[in-house]
Amino acid sequence: MENKKEKTAPNVSVGADTEQPIFKNTKSSISECEENIKSFEEMQREIQLSLDPSYLKAVSMNELFDTQYQSKPPLIDGLLYSGTYIFAGSPKLGKSFLMAQLAYHVSTGTPLWNYTTRKGTVLYLALEDDYRRLQERLYRMFGTESADNLFFSVSASQLGKGLDEQLARFVAEHADTRLIIIDTLQKVREVGGDNYSYANDYQIMARLKSFADTHGLCILLVHHTRKQTADDKFDMISGTSGLLGAADGAFLLQKEKRTGNAATLEVSGRDQQDQKLYLIRNTETLLWELQRAETELWKEPPEPLLDEIAELVMKDKSFWEGSATELVSLIKVEIQPHVITRKLNVLSGRLYAEHGIYYKSNRTHDGRKIRFWKDDTETA
């Protein structure tokens, strides 16, 4: 059982609304595949139902807990997650420098300030720059240290007029793409008199969010703020509330003094706690440096079940397979066999993030089997 690789890998996440179940194991045995092969009649019935305008697809709470959904790791722990985010600030504030900083750290996987960063390919659409200016900026910020998975473009099509296809092709050619920065949103908006209606703003964001969710990556949209102040600072984002309403979150960069180097970065999103970071801009490198955070990051409490799986089940192994009852007999946590699979469906992302252990549950002719394996393991 330890010589064939299983490719399914749960990623870490904080629960996106559009996640899909994991069914990507291409080397499963025939018996394991049988549970996922629907009869022709079942498939025909589902197709007929989907064509019926009165049919509403719904899942029961039982189905919800019995399904392992694909989860996605944050790009930068506590700061940036998969989805679509707005990064707003006044013109000439240093947003593009911070975007280059984010792009560089994600492409290299080096921590940004005190935040753990996961490496991946980055595409930066610097649509208000040219390559000479980019070259000078990056040299001033990072010297000659470069990354072969950080890509730049200073021209792109608009949404609905080729941008969708351009992004899809780039992602197809770079499967590990984690971050796409569009600087600025205004450069890719469709031209039309209805540009600033709530419906149009919401549609633009929903379209980009759909792309991000489908490909499991983050799209970060650089945008401007209005001059008017507001009780809720995020209401200062230019455009209607449709932009923020459809986005997964937003960043707001504001300088304390227009001529100064100190600024605040406020963060709000579905997948992270609200934060306020105090930054200062290095006058030599023009990098943004973290002075302090107003609140400490919330950390998930310890989960004894995951710790015991790592210590008692997988400590000296690279692969384990058995029933839920067999698993319960190996750990000290008191839990019923019928509950443990459901709990692992929810916590599989944390199991991989904290212990490097993958999890999958399959129904076979001999009953439901639980599997654990590590990165370098080859399993059937």
Side-chain angles (χ1 to χ4, degrees):
M1 296 292 289
E2 297 188 6
N3 56 1
K4 298 179 185 175
K5 188 156 189 175
E6 177 160 355
K7 298 291 186 183
T8 304
N11 297 321
V12 187
S13 162
V14 281
D17 341 21
T18 55
E19 293 165 2
Q20 297 299 318
I22 296 178
F23 293 117
K24 296 183 180 177
N25 180 11
T26 58
K27 295 190 178 181
S28 298
S29 66
I30 294 175
S31 62
E32 290 166 352
C33 289
E34 285 179 352
E35 71 162 320
N36 296 328
I37 299 175
K38 297 176 181 176
S39 69
F40 176 76
E41 291 78 11
E42 286 178 307
M43 293 174 64
Q44 191 175 43
R45 180 174 177 274
E46 286 190 3
I47 292 172
Q48 289 174 339
L49 283 172
S50 67
L51 296 174
D52 184 348
S54 66
Y55 173 67
L56 176 66
K57 180 175 175 58
V59 297
S60 68
M61 191 171 179
N62 281 339
E63 276 185 277
L64 202 61
F65 282 126
D66 288 335
T67 303
Q68 183 187 355
Y69 292 91
Q70 183 180 9
S71 50
K72 309 174 187 74
L75 282 74
I76 303 174
D77 284 5
L79 274 185
L80 191 60
Y81 294 78
S82 297
T84 303
Y85 291 81
I86 299 170
F87 192 99
S90 300
K92 313 303 179 189
L93 196 64
K95 298 188 299 298
S96 293
F97 283 86
L98 187 47
M99 291 301 97
Q101 202 169 338
L102 283 169
Y104 181 82
H105 280 266
V106 172
S107 67
T108 58
T110 53
L112 175 68
W113 305 320
N114 298 323
Y115 301 92
T116 300
T117 304
R118 291 174 176 80
K119 184 177 180 179
T121 292
V122 179
L123 172 63
Y124 185 177
L125 302 184
L127 304 178
E128 293 187 340
D129 284 306
D130 56 43
Y131 289 120
R132 178 195 58 78
R133 189 180 294 120
L134 281 172
Q135 183 188 63
E136 292 177 352
R137 180 183 304 162
L138 293 167
Y139 175 73
R140 185 168 180 179
M141 295 174 74
F142 308 111
T144 56
E145 293 294 326
S146 61
D148 61 2
N149 61 340
L150 172 51
F151 297 87
F152 297 89
S153 179
V154 296
S155 63
S157 300
Q158 292 179 314
L159 277 167
K161 295 183 179 180
L163 179 64
D164 313 64
E165 292 78 10
Q166 289 175 334
L167 296 182
R169 178 170 178 171
F170 181 89
V171 172
E173 293 172 352
H174 304 87
D176 65 336
T177 301
R178 300 298 313 283
L179 175 62
I180 296 175
I181 298 172
I182 300 177
D183 186 357
T184 63
L185 171 61
Q186 192 61 32
K187 285 285 187 176
V188 299
R189 290 186 70 139
E190 296 172 280
V191 177
D194 194 35
N195 267 358
Y196 298 103
S197 71
Y198 178 92
N200 187 262
D201 280 350
Y202 193 93
Q203 184 181 30
I204 287 170
M205 294 304 298
R207 187 172 189 164
L208 290 166
K209 176 173 168 54
S210 176
F211 183 92
D213 290 344
T214 298
H215 295 283
L217 51 80
C218 173
I219 295 180
L220 192 54
L221 300 159
V222 179
H223 196 45
H224 298 307
T225 53
R226 292 191 288 258
K227 292 182 178 179
Q228 301 95 323
T229 59
D231 292 335
D232 183 343
K233 291 186 178 180
F234 287 95
D235 287 338
M236 294 169 60
I237 295 174
S238 183
T240 73
S241 57
L243 288 176
L244 189 56
D248 290 293
F251 297 80
L252 184 62
L253 183 68
Q254 292 181 298
K255 271 192 175 182
E256 295 178 2
K257 291 182 180 180
R258 184 71 191 178
T259 55
N261 294 313
T264 58
L265 179 64
E266 297 195 51
V267 186
S268 181
R270 294 173 181 166
D271 291 341
Q272 67 264 61
Q273 71 186 75
D274 289 356
Q275 294 183 74
K276 186 173 184 178
L277 308 180
Y278 292 85
L279 309 178
I280 191 161
R281 201 173 182 193
N282 186 309
T283 54
E284 182 178 342
T285 64
L286 298 183
L287 290 167
W288 287 100
E289 298 172 354
L290 177 66
Q291 286 188 303
R292 64 184 177 91
E294 193 168 85
T295 55
E296 289 188 12
L297 285 178
W298 178 84
K299 293 184 179 180
E300 292 187 276
E303 177 48 69
L305 173 61
L306 304 185
D307 295 338
E308 295 207 1
I309 287 172
E311 288 298 316
L312 302 179
V313 181
M314 296 294 291
K315 186 174 183 179
D316 299 315
K317 297 180 181 179
S318 56
F319 172 74
W320 183 88
E321 180 181 67
S323 67
T325 301
E326 290 171 326
L327 178 59
V328 168
S329 70
L330 296 175
I331 60 178
K332 297 176 182 178
V333 175
E334 292 188 11
I335 187 171
Q336 295 298 314
H338 72 280
V339 174
I340 198 167
T341 302
R342 288 185 168 187
K343 193 163 185 176
L344 286 170
N345 285 341
V346 177
L347 298 175
S348 60
R350 279 191 66 183
L351 181 62
Y352 178 72
E354 296 174 13
H355 301 288
I357 298 172
Y358 296 86
Y359 154 81
K360 188 173 178 67
S361 174
N362 280 100
R363 186 174 298 283
T364 68
H365 289 305
D366 299 324
R368 183 167 289 280
K369 294 290 185 181
I370 290 173
R371 288 180 175 183
F372 299 117
W373 73 98
K374 295 181 181 178
D375 291 347
D376 56 352
T377 307
E378 297 189 355
T379 64

